[in-house]
Amino acid sequence: MSKKVNVKREQYAKKQEENGRKVVNWIFGCLIVLALAYLIYTFSIMS
């Protein structure tokens, strides 16, 4: 393989990794928000 192909492949892998991290962070953020909403809901029902 030529160096050009390896460089492009590394750049693509790096870009994919960054996008993957963003998606995972968004998913965890949404789960935390939903958990907090559920806690507030359950405490309001118990009161």
Side-chain angles (χ1 to χ4, degrees):
M1 279 190 245
S2 66
K3 286 186 177 184
K4 201 179 223 184
V5 173
N6 284 338
V7 169
K8 283 187 177 183
R9 187 173 289 171
E10 288 175 12
Q11 288 175 347
Y12 180 74
K14 188 176 181 181
K15 193 175 190 182
Q16 287 293 99
E17 184 179 349
E18 290 173 1
N19 287 340
R21 287 180 196 258
K22 282 183 188 177
V23 170
V24 170
N25 286 340
W26 271 100
I27 290 171
F28 279 125
C30 289
L31 286 174
I32 290 171
V33 168
L34 287 173
L36 290 174
Y38 182 72
L39 280 173
I40 292 170
Y41 171 73
T42 54
F43 282 124
S44 68
I45 293 294
M46 288 182 173
S47 296

